[in-house]
Amino acid sequence: MRIPCPHCGERASEEFSYLGAADPLRPPPDATAEAWHAYVFLRDNPAGNLREFWHHVHGCRRWLIVTRDTRTHAIAACVDPRA
Amino acid sequence: MMRLAAGGLIDRSRSVRFAFDGRVYTGHPGDTLASALLANGVRLLGRSFKYHRPRGIMTAGPEDPCALVELRTGARREPNTPATAVELFDGLEAQSQNRFPSLRFDLMAANGWLAPLLAAGFYYKTFMWPAGWWERVYEPLIRRAAGLGRASGLPDPDTYDRAHLFCDVLIIGAGPAGLAAALAAGRSGARVVLCEADARLGGRLLAETCEIDGQPGAAWATSTEATLRAFPELRVLTRTTVFGAYDHGTYAAVERLADHQPFPDAHQPRERVWRIVAKRTVLAAGAVERLVAFPGNDRPGVMLAGAVRCYLNRYAVAPGQTAVVATGGAEGWRTVEALAARGIRVAAVVDRRAEVPPAQAALAQRIGARLFAGARIGATRGATNLRTVIVEGATGGAQRLTADLLAVAGGWNPQVQLACHLGGRPVWDETRAAFLPPTTPPPGMEVAGAAAGRFGLGESLRDGTRAGSDAAVAAGFATTAPEPPSAPDDDTPATPIWLMPGRKAFVDLQHDVTMDDIALAHREGFRAVEHFKRYTTHGMATDQGKTGGVLGMAAMAALTGRSMAETGTTLHRPPSTPVAIGALAGRHRGKDFRPTRLTPGHAWAAEQGASFVESGVWLRAQWFPRAGETEWQQSVDREVLAVRNGVGVSDVSTLGKIELAGPDGGAFLDFLYINMLSTLPVGRVRYGAMLREDGFVLDDGTVARLEAERWVITTTTANAARVLAHMEFAHQVLRPNLRVAFVSVTDRWAQYAVAGKRAREVIQAVLEHAIPDAAFPAMACGTFGSARLFRISFSGELAYEIAVPAREGDALVRRIVAAGAVPYGLEALGVLRIEKGHPAGGELNGQTTARDLGLGRLLSARKDFIGRAMALRPALLDPARPTLVGLRPADRRTRLRAGAHLLPRDAPARIEHDQGWITSAAFSPTLGHPIALALLTNGPARHGERLRAHDPVRDGETEVDVVEPCFVDPEGLRLRG
């Protein structure tokens, strides 16, 4: 795969490490056990676009959010969450 | 001699000598091993996989299913290379395969009589009982009998390369379509890479008699190559096979740099794997001729019709002296013409059609060939070589014909593999009688020419021109398609698949799969393509069924009464052709697979005779043996006692070191660690532990506050990279508003632990600076010139860690030793920390919580931190969880081993009685007996209890007493020194 890093340009996927879905948001400290359980353990497995974290370990070392179609690997977007 | 008097693309002015099975022959540059063997009358090349049937040369390309040989000798011996893909060179040594004791007389050919036992799925049925025989009898037997060539068993003496290419247009294949595409794309100025598996450009143009723009095909290929090489942005890679298509325009290719030489030149890699990233790709890989199924279709002398033309035209070799041609249309008749033109007697033409067109019938008559219309091949005969072809006529009568060559026209399979590597399925096309590329090839790829089922020369050239021009335009180059090279269109109708059932009608020659095996799979219910493929192993050999695969599908389609489209074909995956593992590994071999990192003090440690051990990516001194010490334990005991009774020095440079700066650094550290760190004063150090968000311990280490807005933290050696990535996630994603920056400085500092009651005097001597306890108490840190000093202790003794810029590390450690410190290694470091009950590798296993490790008191209730919420889950607070304890053997003598399980004394050794396990063990020279750390259920409540330590793997069985994890100086008086 080729990932278009917003800082470094298009790079091979081996430069990155993968974490998983980017959309679950870290709950506030006093959230319920269920909310924490969902954040830490529950993930959707969509057939289609998935927003996910890729860490550009051998590049700019930014955690990027890549929108990838899980069926085709087509990448619709790659953004820095700070942007 | 079978060499024709004239013609061919070989260099007759030179001869090369080569050996096959020890006999020396000669050929010419431009030959393949196969063509040179045929020119010398050698037609028997090996024995088949299961039945040990004689096998020869069937094709003229790398797809050959049975002309497999071993090449070279010694460490360079390599099995299973098709002789049809080996360029001849002077000194080539080749051996036949899978024969015993000799190629001509093969004892294992008796397997042919055992055929009923070796049918599809035989190993599932025959070798079932008794179960104990599988490992001792069946498997060794099968392994000896099966397989083809022999690996050398020696380390590969050659080197391999990996390299990257980026281009606008990648063109795969340099046959007519590929060359036309390269001309069209190249003139646009686009960066073009043209890959061709052969040493020479031209593809089928080299094998056929044809004309392009008024020139012979091969001559046009040569002049086109000159034109292409003049384009400054066009790169031609010959002897390069593209074997995989991957996401986003990425392709893998292997370039054979030295396989046409006896061995590579000095410093030359043998092969190079290219990763090619292309904006657009034209797949012009052509087509591969397919087999015809009939009884005895594997006998040496049976050859595909297009291969026969290739041997005649390209290599000027007569593959036989008397030929029979079997065909269902024009393809075979072209071969009849070619044979006749080269003066080879065609004894008969067997045409499956009842009505043969008059022109073709007239040709047969003109050259004196008997014509059998509406006929089929009933069988072939001959011991190791074809002698007789038995033709069965439409009326049922059989004719025996004497011939040593049977040319079969089976039609062509477009080479669609690369178009399918991203999951696309080939589509059956009835009019072209072939599987065509999927309707959605990989993005950016277009398939052109014969690979797309456009077999005619004229249409192939037009298709290539258009595809090359379109690719350049799509890659952003303004260009218009040039006038395509002109060649006549031949309106040859497609050749349908031809199956003539009967005994030993092979559909997969490399795995010895016959029509009978397909029928058996059908009877037993393995009818779907992906099922019967695996049941019969059809198409699963190294040739991946390129010549016979589609015949198996057709046979199953006929049995089930379904169409080819309904039957379908199996999925294609990379690599589409065998690739040497060495080529894929490239330079990443041996120590280069993962380079070793050395600390700045490495040379010093090596001078001391240190024994080294790999620790993560580092090489660390394990112990420093001295004269008279014969066992490592003696060295380690001495080093431990030196620390406990005097002073020692150990290299701790490998610990991860991360420096942080910024006004919000304290808040960020509070978020990372379980304990409060924002309150840490300048000039002080604090121990801390980090959790993962699921509540388990990630890592531990120290945090030192150097200045108001500057900290340096340490991580364990193993987790340095992980912790940095974790911190980056925490900052960039979870706490982006915190004003903090950090960077790994692990490599920038050499760091040494100086430990023992005399540590202060050593440090004072080295720094030439007084550091009285009052000014520099336990957990102090400070800067002294270029050095950073931390008063922290892993050993429990009065101890300092001193860090200097890496380039000063070697000098520093020498000065520390000169000041009286005894070097100690990683083993002694481990013993010292086990004596103190500090958790490390064995305990930080990713499944332990802070409470499990006795760090529960650090968990701050006054702040949010990563892992806090999940660490408070009831299950993780359960006191029955295995928790850190110390152990000592009841007899104070027996060695304890990490991994042993803890059981009640009277309980049988069964899983339901398991109460924990030993995580770290050592001999404590301080106490004079073995000790261990363990994780024990309800641990802290069980001090004083006696248990079994059960170690079935190493036959260990010891009684142990549960004690506090800290064995030495539990009050911590020593480190206050």
Side-chain angles (χ1 to χ4, degrees):
Chain A
M1 292 204 330
R2 312 274 304 164
I3 296 177
C5 174
H7 307 296
C8 309
E10 186 187 284
R11 298 299 181 97
S13 58
E14 296 97 297
E15 292 187 9
F16 299 77
S17 69
Y18 178 76
L19 185 69
D23 283 326
L25 291 181
R26 191 172 188 271
D30 55 354
T32 61
E34 286 70 26
W36 276 101
H37 176 257
Y39 169 66
V40 174
F41 295 113
L42 301 186
R43 292 292 181 271
D44 289 336
N45 184 20
N49 271 347
L50 177 65
R51 277 162 42 85
E52 55 195 13
F53 282 121
W54 289 78
H55 188 200
H56 200 179
V57 175
H58 299 294
C60 58
R61 292 203 69 96
R62 293 292 298 176
W63 281 91
L64 305 170
I65 297 178
V66 175
T67 306
R68 178 182 63 102
D69 189 318
T70 56
R71 299 161 303 180
T72 62
H73 291 181
I75 291 175
C78 178
V79 297
D80 189 311
R82 180 177 280 178
Chain B
M1 283 296 280
M2 312 286 277
R3 184 76 75 183
L4 300 169
L9 303 172
I10 49 170
D11 179 2
R12 289 176 195 259
S13 67
R14 289 191 294 147
S15 286
V16 292
R17 286 156 60 86
F18 68 101
F20 179 66
D21 278 348
R23 270 196 67 179
V24 175
Y25 302 94
T26 59
H28 295 295
D31 264 325
T32 62
L33 175 59
S35 70
L37 285 170
L38 285 174
N40 283 281
V42 179
R43 293 150 56 106
L44 173 63
L45 260 69
R47 291 275 172 171
S48 77
F49 184 62
K50 250 166 38 179
Y51 306 128
H52 286 248
R53 286 169 66 91
R55 290 288 163 80
I57 295 161
M58 182 155 277
T59 75
E63 68 278 5
D64 202 285
C66 48
L68 302 182
V69 293
E70 276 176 9
L71 294 179
R72 299 180 173 85
T73 55
R76 287 197 168 87
R77 191 175 75 199
E78 191 175 60
N80 302 343
T81 306
T84 45
V86 179
E87 285 178 59
L88 198 67
F89 56 82
D90 206 47
L92 173 68
E93 289 180 76
Q95 293 91 38
S96 58
Q97 297 188 158
N98 206 32
R99 76 290 201 262
F100 178 81
S102 78
L103 183 55
R104 290 220 154 255
F105 177 77
D106 186 310
L107 287 174
M108 301 291 274
N111 280 359
W113 303 104
L114 301 175
L117 218 61
L118 297 176
F122 73 96
Y123 34 74
Y124 305 126
K125 297 169 183 165
T126 315
F127 301 108
M128 291 290 283
W129 296 282
W133 279 34
W134 178 251
E135 272 179 35
R136 285 182 292 115
V137 183
Y138 296 142
E139 192 185 327
L141 203 78
I142 292 171
R143 284 200 185 280
R144 197 174 318 131
L148 292 163
R150 305 162 300 159
S152 78
L154 298 169
D156 188 337
D158 295 327
T159 58
Y160 298 83
D161 230 1
R162 285 212 311 216
H164 297 251
L165 267 181
F166 296 82
C167 62
D168 297 306
V169 180
L170 168 65
I171 298 167
I172 301 167
L179 289 173
L183 281 174
R187 67 199 281 276
S188 75
R191 290 173 304 163
V192 178
V193 172
L194 174 63
C195 294
E196 168 54 50
D198 204 290
R200 193 168 176 150
L201 305 191
R204 281 303 294 177
L205 297 177
L206 309 178
E208 306 281 8
T209 47
C210 56
E211 279 202 353
I212 300 174
D213 288 344
Q215 290 184 77
W220 180 83
T222 305
S223 64
T224 301
E225 178 171 358
T227 309
L228 294 177
R229 288 192 187 272
F231 290 135
E233 294 291 341
L234 188 141
R235 181 165 188 167
V236 179
L237 293 174
T238 53
R239 302 187 173 107
T240 302
T241 306
V242 180
F243 63 81
Y246 304 89
D247 288 300
H248 305 151
T250 305
Y251 293 84
V254 61
E255 182 180 13
R256 291 169 293 276
L257 296 158
D259 283 354
H260 59 294
Q261 303 169 195
F263 47 84
D265 301 335
H267 310 299
Q268 183 196 31
R270 181 188 162 206
E271 294 180 355
R272 176 181 292 139
V273 166
W274 287 102
R275 169 188 293 210
I276 305 173
V277 179
K279 286 186 187 147
R280 309 292 297 184
T281 300
V282 177
L283 178 62
V288 161
E289 209 176 2
R290 66 191 171 218
L291 190 58
V292 171
F294 57 87
N297 61 347
D298 63 328
R299 204 173 300 283
V302 176
M303 191 180 278
L304 303 184
V308 168
R309 298 199 299 276
C310 183
Y311 285 113
L312 292 171
N313 294 327
R314 179 169 179 180
Y315 301 110
V317 171
Q321 284 167 334
T322 306
V324 171
V325 177
T327 185
E331 175 76 19
W333 288 97
R334 283 168 74 188
T335 310
V336 173
E337 268 178 74
L339 285 163
R342 295 296 194 150
I344 294 156
R345 194 172 93 80
V346 179
V349 182
V350 180
D351 197 315
R352 70 192 291 191
R353 299 170 297 183
E355 301 283 331
V356 175
Q360 290 166 352
L363 170 64
Q365 195 166 20
R366 181 157 51 81
I367 63 170
R370 293 173 67 182
L371 174 59
F372 295 88
R376 51 167 280 166
I377 307 292
T380 62
R381 296 280 184 269
T384 55
N385 210 335
L386 181 70
R387 294 197 188 288
T388 308
V389 178
I390 298 172
V391 179
E392 292 174 359
T395 51
Q399 291 271 348
R400 298 171 69 88
L401 303 172
T402 300
D404 63 352
L405 173 66
L406 173 55
V408 296
W412 296 81
N413 292 328
Q415 293 256 61
V416 301
Q417 292 91 343
L418 292 166
C420 303
H421 279 175
L422 297 189
R425 292 271 182 176
V427 182
W428 179 256
D429 183 287
E430 196 61 45
T431 54
R432 292 189 179 90
F435 281 106
L436 300 186
T439 45
T440 52
M445 178 193 280
E446 186 163 0
V447 191
R454 297 181 189 105
F455 297 123
L457 180 56
E459 72 174 328
S460 184
L461 290 165
R462 289 193 298 277
D463 201 30
T465 301
R466 182 196 50 74
S469 172
D470 287 355
V473 170
F477 292 83
T479 185
T480 50
E483 187 64 26
S486 98
D489 274 310
D490 66 308
D491 49 358
T492 310
T495 309
I497 291 170
W498 195 4
L499 302 173
M500 295 170 258
R503 273 196 76 224
K504 293 283 183 290
F506 286 89
V507 291
D508 182 330
L509 274 81
Q510 202 178 113
H511 265 173
D512 273 357
V513 181
T514 63
M515 296 269 285
D516 287 342
D517 291 318
I518 306 287
L520 182 70
H522 175 258
R523 279 201 303 281
E524 298 188 347
F526 296 93
R527 295 175 186 183
V529 275
E530 298 285 2
H531 287 164
F532 86 77
K533 163 189 163 177
R534 284 161 180 81
Y535 193 62
T536 61
T537 74
H538 173 60
M540 288 170 67
T542 59
D543 67 330
Q544 297 276 293
K546 287 193 177 68
T547 51
V550 72
L551 296 187
M553 316 302 164
M556 184 55 80
L559 290 162
T560 55
R562 288 176 302 176
S563 67
M564 280 301 279
E566 288 166 325
T567 303
T569 183
T570 51
L571 201 61
H572 294 291
R573 294 185 188 86
S576 56
T577 191
V579 182
I581 294 285
L584 295 174
R587 306 264 172 191
H588 296 174
R589 262 171 75 174
K591 291 305 290 177
D592 293 338
F593 177 68
R594 193 177 71 172
T596 311
R597 297 170 82 178
L598 304 180
T599 67
H602 184 84
W604 163 81
E607 280 169 30
Q608 310 307 307
S611 167
F612 291 98
V613 64
E614 285 182 12
S615 169
V617 293
W618 298 91
L619 214 51
R620 297 184 71 177
Q622 214 171 359
W623 54 79
F624 296 84
R626 284 200 178 161
E629 291 172 350
T630 52
E631 284 185 60
W632 65 271
Q633 185 78 55
Q634 294 170 305
S635 309
V636 173
D637 288 353
R638 173 183 50 74
E639 291 170 13
V640 170
L641 293 173
V643 174
R644 292 275 177 242
N645 300 326
V647 61
V649 58
S650 183
D651 187 347
V652 293
S653 304
T654 63
L655 289 179
K657 298 178 269 304
I658 298 167
E659 208 162 308
L660 295 85
D664 294 331
F668 185 55
L669 291 168
D670 278 348
F671 184 56
L672 288 174
Y673 285 89
I674 63 176
N675 43 331
M676 195 64 91
L677 286 158
S678 53
T679 55
L680 181 68
V682 172
R684 303 292 286 183
V685 188
R686 198 169 279 171
Y687 173 80
M690 292 182 190
L691 307 185
R692 302 188 307 234
E693 197 69 276
D694 64 2
F696 292 95
V697 174
L698 169 65
D699 200 53
D700 71 342
T702 59
V703 178
R705 189 166 193 175
L706 302 171
E707 299 164 18
E709 292 187 5
R710 183 177 285 270
W711 296 260
V712 63
I713 71 166
T714 63
T715 74
T716 57
T717 298
N719 282 335
R722 255 185 94 193
V723 168
L724 182 67
H726 173 78
M727 289 170 62
E728 284 164 337
F729 184 81
H731 182 228
Q732 295 170 24
V733 177
L734 302 179
R735 290 289 184 271
N737 296 326
L738 292 181
R739 292 162 299 162
V740 61
F742 48 89
V743 65
S744 168
V745 294
T746 303
D747 294 347
R748 300 209 23 208
W749 296 90
Q751 192 156 324
Y752 298 93
V754 179
K757 56 182 66 135
R758 289 174 46 223
R760 183 176 297 115
E761 58 188 78
V762 169
I763 293 294
Q764 291 184 146
V766 167
L767 292 179
E768 297 171 345
H769 196 286
I771 42 167
D773 187 57
F776 207 79
M779 306 309 277
C781 67
T783 300
F784 297 85
S786 64
R788 287 174 176 174
L789 190 66
F790 310 88
R791 189 165 158 195
I792 50 180
S793 177
F794 200 46
S795 59
E797 300 296 324
L798 167 67
Y800 300 83
E801 287 188 12
I802 179 167
V804 291
R807 65 180 174 278
E808 299 171 25
D810 181 78
L812 176 66
V813 70
R814 291 174 197 273
R815 282 165 62 202
I816 293 171
V817 172
V822 175
Y824 65 100
L826 195 55
E827 280 299 323
L829 201 73
V831 174
L832 292 162
R833 73 99 190 164
I834 294 170
E835 287 182 338
K836 286 300 291 180
H838 290 314
E843 293 78 33
L844 298 174
N845 65 1
Q847 299 176 328
T848 45
T849 67
R851 289 170 58 100
D852 297 343
L853 301 178
L855 305 174
R857 66 195 150 72
L858 293 182
L859 290 160
S860 171
R862 292 182 290 140
K863 59 168 187 144
D864 182 23
F865 57 86
I866 290 178
R868 178 184 162 276
M870 295 308 267
L872 298 177
R873 281 183 277 172
L876 296 195
L877 301 176
D878 183 353
R881 281 185 61 81
T883 309
L884 190 70
V885 295
L887 297 177
R888 59 186 183 207
D891 63 4
R892 304 289 190 275
R893 281 203 316 275
T894 308
R895 180 181 173 190
L896 303 178
R897 291 175 186 271
H901 277 251
L902 302 174
L903 305 161
R905 289 173 77 188
D906 50 353
R910 288 208 304 269
I911 188 71
E912 62 265 34
H913 303 299
D914 189 22
Q915 297 194 332
W917 64 95
I918 297 178
T919 51
S920 304
F923 176 81
S924 165
T926 314
L927 302 175
H929 61 74
I931 58 170
L933 298 178
L935 293 166
L936 175 66
T937 181
N938 280 318
R942 299 174 67 178
H943 295 165
E945 210 176 305
R946 183 159 287 185
L947 299 169
R948 285 172 72 183
H950 181 66
D951 188 3
V953 180
R954 290 161 295 196
D955 285 333
E957 180 74 49
T958 321
E959 294 208 328
V960 292
D961 292 328
V962 181
V963 295
E964 284 274 355
C966 183
F967 292 89
V968 172
D969 185 29
E971 301 80 20
L973 299 175
R974 290 169 176 239
L975 67 87
R976 316 235 164 255

